[in-house]
């Protein structure tokens, strides 16, 4: 158990819809990262928050947005969903921005039909 | 453009033998390299890392080798155990920290008893 909690674990929705994925980092961690893993692909970095502030953006679509709240939990919002958005979405946390050693949640599997 | 490549999608090794997982990268700016292990239905977990000032880092049964001139790193597991069966991801970054971390597609390692 990494200490990072993601909900929901599975989500099935239709094209055009909007969903919110939630992440609770380890209690001591200020950094939250979101990654997308599509079929047979590596993890693609989406966005990084540190103590409530956005610090870096990766290959995140404009239809996607995220935020980190004062209690440090984070939400990833995906809107106008397309079939290609079907993927595993991982949240990871770390105590520092200076380490690549991340603690990952179990992921949220999104299926868009 | 895949900057980090794991060319073997899968690898099968006999229990007790050495497992060698390979990873190639194209970006000469990468300075920091990590390996993650992932079991089904779990998030990736950090395994071992190496910075470019070293060519080898060892942690118990796990050793990572870095050949900067060839832009190649490898993970050696010896002796291999059934519990090592998992998907292994290599990752690379030009800086310490996870903001610019680029992951490979993963290699599925199966240890046969």
């Amino acid at each position: 158990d990494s200490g990072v909690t993601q909900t929901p674990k599975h989500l099935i929705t239709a094209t055009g819809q909007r969903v919110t994925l939630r992440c609770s980092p380890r209690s001591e961690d200020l950094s939250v990262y979101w990654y997308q893993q599509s079929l047979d692909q590596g993890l693609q970095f989406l966005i990084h928050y540190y103590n409530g502030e956005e610090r870096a953006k990766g290959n995140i679509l404009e239809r996607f947005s995220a935020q980190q709240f004062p209690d440090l939990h984070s939400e990833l919002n995906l809107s106008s969903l397309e079939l290609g958005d079907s993927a595993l979405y991982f949240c990871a946390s770390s105590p520092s921005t200076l380490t690549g050693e991340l603690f990952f949640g179990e992921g949220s599997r999104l299926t868009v039909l | 453009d895949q900057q980090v490549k794991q060319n073997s999608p899968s690898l099968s090794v006999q229990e007790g033998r050495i497992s060698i997982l390979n990873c190639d990268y194209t970006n000469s700016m990468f300075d920091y390299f990590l390996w993650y292990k992932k079991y089904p239905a779990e998030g990736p977990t950090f395994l071992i890392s190496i910075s470019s000032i070293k060519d080898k880092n060892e942690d118990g049964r796990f050793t990572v080798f870095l050949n900067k001139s060839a832009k190649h790193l490898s993970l050696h597991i010896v002796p291999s155990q059934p519990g090592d069966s998992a998907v292994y991801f290599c990752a690379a970054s030009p800086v310490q920290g996870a903001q610019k971390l680029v992951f490979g597609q993963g290699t599925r390692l199966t240890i046969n008893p």
Side-chain angles (χ1 to χ4, degrees):
Chain A
D1 181 7
S2 67
V4 177
T5 304
Q6 287 188 248
T7 57
K9 286 192 172 19
H10 301 276
L11 191 54
I12 301 174
T13 188
T15 55
Q17 295 298 303
R18 172 191 167 95
V19 299
T20 297
L21 309 180
R22 183 187 167 103
C23 170
S24 293
R26 298 186 321 154
S27 57
E28 61 267 45
D29 293 348
L30 299 178
S31 269
V32 169
Y33 299 81
W34 285 97
Y35 286 86
Q36 178 193 54
Q37 185 186 18
S38 302
L39 193 63
D40 294 332
Q41 298 293 310
L43 287 82
Q44 302 290 322
F45 168 64
L46 295 178
I47 199 163
H48 168 221
Y49 278 85
Y50 179 82
N51 202 20
E53 290 186 8
E54 181 187 302
R55 284 295 185 94
K57 271 185 172 179
N59 297 323
I60 187 166
L61 299 170
E62 284 194 16
R63 301 183 285 108
F64 296 2
S65 65
Q67 51 186 327
Q68 187 180 28
F69 295 87
D71 67 353
L72 301 178
H73 91 270
S74 178
E75 293 181 355
L76 179 67
N77 301 297
L78 315 175
S79 61
S80 302
L81 285 168
E82 302 175 0
L83 296 178
D85 298 328
S86 295
L88 253 179
Y89 290 85
F90 286 104
C91 165
S93 73
S94 74
S96 159
T97 59
L98 299 177
T99 176
E101 299 173 31
L102 301 176
F103 296 85
F104 282 85
E106 294 179 354
S108 292
R109 181 172 293 282
L110 173 66
T111 302
V112 182
L113 301 176
Chain B
D1 172 33
Q2 281 215 277
Q3 298 185 67
V4 178
K5 291 184 185 178
Q6 294 176 256
N7 292 315
S8 298
S10 62
L11 177 67
S12 190
V13 173
Q14 205 73 19
E15 182 179 357
R17 300 286 186 112
I18 184 171
S19 296
I20 301 177
L21 297 105
N22 294 304
C23 180
D24 296 298
Y25 61 95
T26 57
N27 189 340
S28 57
M29 300 299 291
F30 286 150
D31 252 356
Y32 182 52
F33 305 87
L34 305 93
W35 285 92
Y36 278 82
K37 177 168 80 170
K38 184 184 178 304
Y39 292 120
E42 293 184 13
T45 55
F46 169 75
L47 198 53
I48 193 169
S49 65
I50 188 169
S51 74
S52 61
I53 60 173
K54 292 181 154 187
D55 54 17
K56 174 182 171 181
N57 189 24
E58 205 169 336
D59 183 1
R61 296 185 298 112
F62 302 90
T63 303
V64 56
F65 294 92
L66 175 62
N67 183 334
K68 282 209 77 175
S69 59
K71 294 192 180 68
H72 177 85
L73 72 156
S74 60
L75 176 68
H76 293 211
I77 306 173
V78 55
S80 300
Q81 298 174 354
D84 297 329
S85 296
V87 176
Y88 289 79
F89 292 97
C90 69
S93 173
V95 296
Q96 277 215 296
Q99 289 186 1
K100 298 183 188 294
L101 207 53
V102 179
F103 283 83
Q105 315 95 298
T107 296
R108 182 177 302 278
L109 175 65
T110 302
I111 306 301
N112 302 307

